[in-house]
């Protein structure tokens, strides 16, 4: 399935738009602007929620619309609508045409093309029948309750979407992409006496439902969710104070994403509101720490063939051996900073303008065996799972809660603990990394990132890390 052919069918065939007239409208609207585009989007999605032993929700729908943008200097004119007709586009063009002050008068060149295919273009919604999707949730519930009588409550959420986009620029330059996305998330509440504790697991990516329906896949996630819940039933209050913290591989990189990744997005650096502003070429992390943002990983949740401005994604090195070397850029901030766009211009939907956003953000692996890292710690905390957190981009300060954690005593894993929070700044935390594992792992594919009210799918990854002198907030003094 050709992305341009399919999006032409959706927007110019089914919707009835005249391609030549649309090009004229775009050309006229962006005369004298520095940049801009017409973003056309068609999305089909569905969601199934299982809770309290029954299918609680099954929903689906189709949305489509356009976003029209003109950029002049640092100013942006933006209009959007759901009516895909020439009259609505002309009204939007009048709105964005009003932004002209500060424009150079030279329109930026369109992004280069790509022949890369990072995922299959087919809609995942047709990859499995309705009955198979609902049966999956019922099977998960039955499986977990049979596994352990302490499984008190089982919740599962299955979802899929298919997004078709076409981006048009003056002169008729066009880029299109067809983006599948599926996910499965399982939560278990375990009960022992009067105590209730939870665990969760799941995954997904850019593909159909086939992998999620495979019993080998969903049973592994169900087992993991149950394991976490049962571990937490035995957890004791977490210690507090400064200590060595070992982060597990994979999902714990959400801390890296929030505490470091956002600070390396172009807009915060251009506006000098990031703790990393002006530090290009300087040491911001310990030797051996290399961080990349890579939107080109096949079938990954955060990957995109092209971003929402039409720029092909790429592997961008942000920190290399502890030195800050790069930023994530959309077209607007890249132009104003005299840099190249990196394929990180993303938007939640046609209703929102693009912003510089992460795709798949990873810390690369090192030389140490994970067992060696644990054995090196006399007193500390091992945290393999994280929940929510809060981050201040300007200062880099963060607070993250560990949903699964263990004491480390004399180089050995000890009791599970609950109520542990990691407190610090991304800038200082990176400098305190003293051992980097050789077990780089990516998350299973359920990450979502929020910024300026927009949410987009993302991925994270890292190896096991030892971080010295980290502040742990706990419930035990």
């Amino acid at each position: 399935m050709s992305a341009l052919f399919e999006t032409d069918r959706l927007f110019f065939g089914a919707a009835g738009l005249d391609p030549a007239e649309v090009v004229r409208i775009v050309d006229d609207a962006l005369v004298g602007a520095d940049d801009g585009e017409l973003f056309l989007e068609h999305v089909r999605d569905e969601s199934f929620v299982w809770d309290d032993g029954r299918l609680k929700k099954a929903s689906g729908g189709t949305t489509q619309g356009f976003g029209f943008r003109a950029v002049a200097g640092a100013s942006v004119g933006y209009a959007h609508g759901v009516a895909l007709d020439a009259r609505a586009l002309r009204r939007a063009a009048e709105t964005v045409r009003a932004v002209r002050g500060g424009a150079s008068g030279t329109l930026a060149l369109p992004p280069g093309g790509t022949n890369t295919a990072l995922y299959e273009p087919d809609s995942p919604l047709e990859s499995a029948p309705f009955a198979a999707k609902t049966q999956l949730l019922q099977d998960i519930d039955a499986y977990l309750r049979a596994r352990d009588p302490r499984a008190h409550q089982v919740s599962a959420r299955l979802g899929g979407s298919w997004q078709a986009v076409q981006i048009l620029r003056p002169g008729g330059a066009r880029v299109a992409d067809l983006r599948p996305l599926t996910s499965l998330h399982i939560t278990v509440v375990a009960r022992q006496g009067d105590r209730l504790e939870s665990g969760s697991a799941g995954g997904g990516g850019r593909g159909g439902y086939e992998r999620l329906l495979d019993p080998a896949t969903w049973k592994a996630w169900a087992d993991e969710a149950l394991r976490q819940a049962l571990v937490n039933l035995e957890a004791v209050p977490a210690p507090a104070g400064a200590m060595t913290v070992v982060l597990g591989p994979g999902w714990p990189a959400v801390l890296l994403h929030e505490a470091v990744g956002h600070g390396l997005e172009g807009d915060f650096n251009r506006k000098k509101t990031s703790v990393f502003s002006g530090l290009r070429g300087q040491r911001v992390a310990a030797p051996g720490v290399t961080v990349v943002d890579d939107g080109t990983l096949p079938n990954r949740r955060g990957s995109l063939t092209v971003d929402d401005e039409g720029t092909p994604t790429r592997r961008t090195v942000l920190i290399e051996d502890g030195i800050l070397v790069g930023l994530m850029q959309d077209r607007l901030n890249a132009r104003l900073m005299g840099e190249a766009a990196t394929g990180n211009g993303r938007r939640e939907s046609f209703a929102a303008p693009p912003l510089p956003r992460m795709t798949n953000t990873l810390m690369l692996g090192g030389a140490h065996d994970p067992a060696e890292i644990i054995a090196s710690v006399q007193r500390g905390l091992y945290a393999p799972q994280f929940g929510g957190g809060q981050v201040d981009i300007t200062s880099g300060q963060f607070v993250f809660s560990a949903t699964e954690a263990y004491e480390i005593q004399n180089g050995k894993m000890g009791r599970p603990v609950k109520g542990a929070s990691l407190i610090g700044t991304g800038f200082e935390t990176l400098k305190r990394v003293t051992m980097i594992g050789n077990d780089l792992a990516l998350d299973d594919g359920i990450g979502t990132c929020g910024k300026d009210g927009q949410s987009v799918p993302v991925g994270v990854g890292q190896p096991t890390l030892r971080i010295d002198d980290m502040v742990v907030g706990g419930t035990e003094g």
Side-chain angles (χ1 to χ4, degrees):
M1 183 190 300
S2 162
L4 271 175
F5 177 83
E6 181 64 16
T7 53
D8 278 352
R9 183 188 69 81
L10 287 168
F11 301 123
F12 301 121
L17 286 174
D18 175 21
E21 184 173 11
V22 171
V23 170
R24 287 194 298 270
I25 292 172
V26 173
D27 285 346
D28 292 344
L30 298 182
V31 170
D34 288 325
D35 204 357
E37 73 284 311
L38 175 65
F39 179 85
L40 303 175
E41 180 187 41
H42 175 99
V43 176
R44 296 173 54 209
D45 60 14
E46 63 183 11
S47 177
F48 304 86
V49 178
W50 181 277
D51 196 17
D52 292 329
R54 62 188 176 89
L55 184 65
K56 200 166 188 178
K57 178 182 178 183
S59 63
T62 300
T63 59
Q64 66 179 19
F66 69 87
F68 212 148
R69 181 178 69 149
V71 180
S75 299
V76 174
Y78 198 78
H80 63 88
V82 296
L84 291 180
D85 57 56
R87 181 180 178 185
L89 291 179
R90 283 193 291 268
R91 285 200 303 269
E94 292 176 4
T95 300
V96 304
R97 195 181 292 119
V99 179
R100 283 294 180 271
S104 67
T106 302
L107 194 68
L109 295 174
T114 178
N115 291 321
T116 300
L118 299 177
Y119 32 80
E120 293 297 322
D122 302 320
S123 168
L125 276 63
E126 286 76 40
S127 66
F130 181 93
K133 299 167 189 174
T134 56
Q135 185 64 49
L136 168 64
L137 302 181
Q138 184 175 342
D139 290 346
I140 291 170
D141 183 87
Y143 174 78
L144 283 166
R145 294 184 187 280
R147 288 282 289 175
D148 196 297
R150 291 172 290 180
H152 176 68
Q153 183 176 357
V154 176
S155 302
R157 184 175 67 251
L158 179 70
S161 67
W162 184 72
Q163 180 193 33
V165 303
Q166 186 173 131
I167 301 157
L168 297 91
R169 294 185 178 278
R174 298 186 300 153
V175 177
D177 198 16
L178 303 176
R179 303 166 177 171
L181 192 67
T182 53
S183 65
L184 172 65
H185 191 265
I186 303 168
T187 300
V188 180
V189 176
R191 180 173 185 173
Q192 187 166 279
D194 294 331
R195 183 167 179 175
L196 298 172
E197 297 289 351
S198 65
S200 62
R206 294 205 176 274
Y209 285 114
E210 298 88 353
R211 175 171 171 254
L212 308 186
L213 291 169
D214 183 351
T217 299
W218 66 258
K219 285 183 179 179
W221 289 334
D223 289 343
E224 172 61 16
L226 178 60
R227 184 198 64 80
Q228 290 179 26
L230 297 180
V231 164
N232 286 329
L233 282 177
E234 307 300 324
V236 300
M243 66 186 73
T244 299
V245 172
V246 178
L247 302 182
W251 178 247
V254 66
L255 190 153
L256 173 78
H257 168 103
E258 294 288 357
V260 177
H262 280 299
L264 298 179
E265 292 168 338
D267 50 352
F268 295 127
N269 284 269
R270 178 179 66 82
K271 298 172 184 177
K272 302 188 185 305
T273 57
S274 167
V275 68
F276 294 101
S277 298
L279 298 182
R280 192 87 61 97
Q282 298 184 35
R283 179 166 297 284
V284 296
V289 172
T290 296
V291 178
V292 303
D293 186 83
D294 193 345
T296 70
L297 302 176
N299 303 314
R300 297 298 303 180
R301 181 174 171 85
S303 295
L304 294 169
T305 301
V306 296
D307 70 4
D308 293 324
E309 299 177 307
T311 305
T313 57
R314 71 184 200 186
R315 181 181 186 270
T316 301
V317 180
L318 305 172
I319 299 172
E320 186 170 23
D321 198 20
I323 306 299
L324 178 59
V325 296
L327 301 172
M328 293 167 280
Q329 296 283 19
D330 64 342
R331 286 172 62 91
L332 184 154
N333 289 281
R335 177 176 51 81
L336 294 174
M337 296 178 73
E339 301 182 6
T342 58
N344 289 95
R346 306 188 63 185
R347 63 182 101 199
E348 182 178 69
S349 74
F350 67 86
L355 301 169
R357 306 290 299 273
M358 285 171 273
T359 57
N360 304 297
T361 309
L362 324 170
M363 182 184 293
L364 302 188
H368 294 281
D369 185 275
E372 175 192 1
I373 296 177
I374 296 293
S376 72
V377 179
Q378 292 302 302
R379 176 182 177 269
L381 188 80
Y382 175 63
Q385 295 293 338
F386 279 88
Q390 296 180 333
V391 180
D392 185 318
I393 300 300
T394 303
S395 66
Q397 293 180 330
F398 63 80
V399 178
F400 269 86
S401 60
T403 55
E404 181 184 0
Y406 302 84
E407 295 176 328
I408 305 176
Q409 295 286 351
N410 300 318
K412 297 184 183 298
M413 294 274 287
R415 300 173 298 176
V417 299
K418 64 172 297 183
S421 297
L422 304 187
I423 304 167
T425 67
F427 190 83
E428 292 301 324
T429 298
L430 287 182
K431 290 183 177 179
R432 292 174 180 166
V433 173
T434 55
M435 298 178 78
I436 302 173
N438 58 11
D439 58 340
L440 170 63
L442 306 181
D443 74 290
D444 286 321
I446 56 173
T448 299
C449 173
K451 177 179 176 180
D452 287 359
Q454 297 190 45
S455 295
V456 296
V458 295
V460 297
Q462 69 173 43
T464 299
L465 299 176
R466 171 176 164 155
I467 304 172
D468 289 349
D469 297 320
M470 195 168 192
V471 176
V472 176
T475 53
E476 178 182 275

